[in-house]
């Protein structure tokens, strides 16, 4: 391992130049650095001087800076919208010391299968703003699946339309105890007006496909009055899982199918 250089960009132009240096990794909260081979790192670029720690309303959007920690997000929504799916999901994520360090941008860039923020952001149809070889807003789902968008780019912020975060939501963590990494997560988000389901955005994260939009069960609830929905008879998308330390693939699949329906039932009970 050679000499490790630290970089402290103070503006986006400096960051863009650093992105083209070989072997340089980005540092926000630092929790993801050891997931790579540290012997291959030639430099670390600290993002702390770029003003990327914020949660704010901007017109019809909620914007969250890439260096914003889970605790920052929790505190914002606790005071402004405790029914937010991000508040419901992140208040139980990891442990308090880790919530004080894990950043939103790092969670998106690394996308660990146990992520508690990925499902909510996907359900909210979020976009990420990139700088570097790709510049501008991109759909989060596209970014996660694209190797090209990750090359020599950095996430500056993420946004979603305020109107999507309706309060009718459910987040499930497949864990054995409170400090477990979730084997998978389920996020269910619905827009219900006058007793009718106007929108459903359902995701599972941690499956064989990394994440999966549950289009089959979504299609069976959208456009229907809540009194007409028989949750137990709803078809559940066929999702497969790898074996994990916590649970076998078969157990995860069974648990997933039970919890999707349980989550939908709980959302419908909020309305009644």
């Amino acid at each position: 391992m050679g000499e490790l250089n630290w970089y402290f960009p103070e503006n986006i132009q400096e960051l863009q130049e650093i992105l083209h240096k070989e072997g340089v990794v980005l540092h926000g909260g630092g929790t993801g650095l050891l997931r790579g081979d540290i012997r291959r790192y030639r430099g670390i670029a600290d993002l702390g001087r770029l003003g990327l720690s914020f949660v704010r309303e901007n017109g019809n959007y909620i914007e969250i800076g890439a260096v914003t920690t889970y605790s920052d997000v929790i505190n914002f929504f606790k005071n402004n919208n405790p029914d937010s799916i991000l508040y419901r999901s992140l208040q139980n994520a990891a442990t308090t010391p880790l919530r004080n360090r894990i950043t939103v941008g790092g969670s998106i860039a690394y996308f660990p299968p146990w992520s508690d923020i990925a499902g909510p952001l996907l359900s909210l149809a979020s976009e990420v703003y990139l700088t570097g070889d790709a510049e501008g807003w991109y759909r989060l789902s596209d970014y996660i699946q694209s190797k090209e968008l990750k090359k020599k780019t950095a996430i500056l912020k993420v946004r979603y339309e305020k109107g999507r975060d309706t309060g009718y939501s459910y987040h499930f963590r497949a864990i054995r105890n409170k400090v477990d990494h979730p084997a998978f997560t389920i996020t269910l988000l619905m827009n219900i007006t006058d007793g009718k389901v106007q929108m459903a955005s359902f995701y599972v994260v941690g499956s064989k496909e990394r994440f999966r939009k549950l289009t089959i069960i979504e299609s069976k609830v959208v456009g229907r009055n809540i009194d007409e929905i028989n949750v137990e008879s709803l078809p559940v998308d066929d999702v497969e899982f790898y074996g994990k330390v916590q649970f076998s693939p078969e157990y995860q699949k069974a648990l997933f199918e039970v919890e999707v329906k349980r989550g939908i039932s709980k959302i419908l009970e909020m309305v009644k």
Side-chain angles (χ1 to χ4, degrees), residues 87-101:
Y87 180 71
R88 289 175 175 168
S89 63
L90 294 185
Q91 62 181 329
N92 294 314
T95 61
T96 300
L98 282 173
R99 288 195 295 270
N100 291 336
R101 295 293 301 177

Side-chain angles (χ1 to χ4, degrees), residues 9 23 32 36 66 68 81 97 100 132 151 159 201 213 217 228 236 255:
T68 308
N81 181 11
N100 291 336
K151 290 181 180 179
R159 73 177 182 184
S201 185
K213 183 171 175 61
I217 198 165
E228 299 173 349
V236 179
L255 182 60

Side-chain angles (χ1 to χ4, degrees), residues 8-269:
F8 298 90
E10 298 192 0
N11 56 60
I12 300 305
Q13 183 177 352
E14 289 182 9
L15 174 60
Q16 291 170 342
E17 294 171 357
I18 292 168
L19 289 171
H20 287 86
K21 295 181 180 292
E22 291 299 323
V24 175
V25 295
L26 303 181
H27 173 276
T31 59
L33 287 178
L34 294 180
R35 295 190 66 222
D37 184 355
I38 196 169
R39 295 170 298 180
R40 300 177 61 183
Y41 296 166
R42 297 184 185 178
I44 298 176
D46 187 283
L47 304 179
R49 300 180 182 180
L50 295 174
L52 299 177
S53 178
F54 57 81
V55 186
R56 64 195 181 198
E57 294 189 16
N58 185 0
N60 293 325
Y61 291 93
I62 296 290
E63 292 186 346
I64 305 173
V67 186
T68 308
T69 66
Y70 280 13
S71 291
D72 293 333
V73 176
I74 291 167
N75 290 334
F76 175 86
F77 286 108
K78 182 178 181 180
N79 295 321
N80 294 278
N81 181 11
D83 291 328
S84 168
I85 183 57
L86 287 173
Y87 180 71
R88 289 175 175 168
S89 63
L90 294 185
Q91 62 181 329
N92 294 314
T95 61
T96 300
L98 282 173
R99 288 195 295 270
N100 291 336
R101 295 293 301 177
I102 298 173
T103 62
V104 173
S107 294
I108 295 171
Y110 285 112
F111 196 82
W114 56 83
S115 172
D116 275 291
I117 199 172
L121 289 178
L122 286 164
S123 292
L124 290 164
S126 300
E127 300 173 305
V128 292
Y129 191 93
L130 304 180
T131 191
D133 281 4
E135 191 82 26
W137 289 105
Y138 293 86
R139 291 189 302 179
L140 173 60
S141 55
D142 291 339
Y143 174 82
I144 293 171
Q145 297 178 93
S146 171
K147 291 182 179 179
E148 289 301 314
L149 287 178
K150 296 182 179 69
K151 290 181 180 179
K152 301 187 185 305
T153 63
I155 299 169
L156 299 185
K157 54 189 173 181
V158 60
R159 73 177 182 184
Y160 62 86
E161 293 183 8
K162 288 187 295 185
R164 288 188 67 88
D165 202 1
T166 63
Y168 295 125
S169 59
Y170 177 78
H171 184 73
F172 172 77
R173 314 173 74 235
I175 57 175
R176 298 169 299 181
N177 55 62
K178 191 172 181 179
V179 296
D180 242 356
H181 285 319
F184 65 88
T185 63
I186 300 168
T187 305
L188 310 177
L189 183 65
M190 300 172 75
N191 183 342
I192 303 172
T193 305
D194 297 328
K196 188 174 183 179
V197 180
Q198 307 293 336
M199 179 274 291
S201 185
F202 301 162
Y203 280 87
V204 58
V205 173
S207 63
K208 280 188 175 182
E209 302 164 279
R210 300 184 73 196
F211 73 91
R212 172 87 171 271
K213 183 171 175 61
L214 307 178
T215 55
I216 293 176
I217 198 165
E218 284 178 354
S219 68
K220 298 302 181 181
V221 298
V222 172
R224 299 181 64 184
N225 291 320
I226 60 173
D227 293 331
E228 299 173 349
I229 299 173
N230 182 344
V231 176
E232 289 307 312
S233 68
L234 292 175
V236 179
D237 299 64
D238 186 18
V239 178
E240 300 295 332
F241 298 87
Y242 291 113
K244 301 186 179 78
V245 173
Q246 305 100 313
F247 308 120
S248 68
E250 295 78 15
Y251 181 81
Q252 290 177 77
K253 187 177 180 66
L255 182 60
F256 160 75
E257 292 175 355
V258 169
E259 286 298 333
V260 166
K261 291 186 177 183
R262 181 175 294 165
I264 293 173
S265 294
K266 288 188 175 182
I267 293 175
L268 298 182
E269 287 169 7

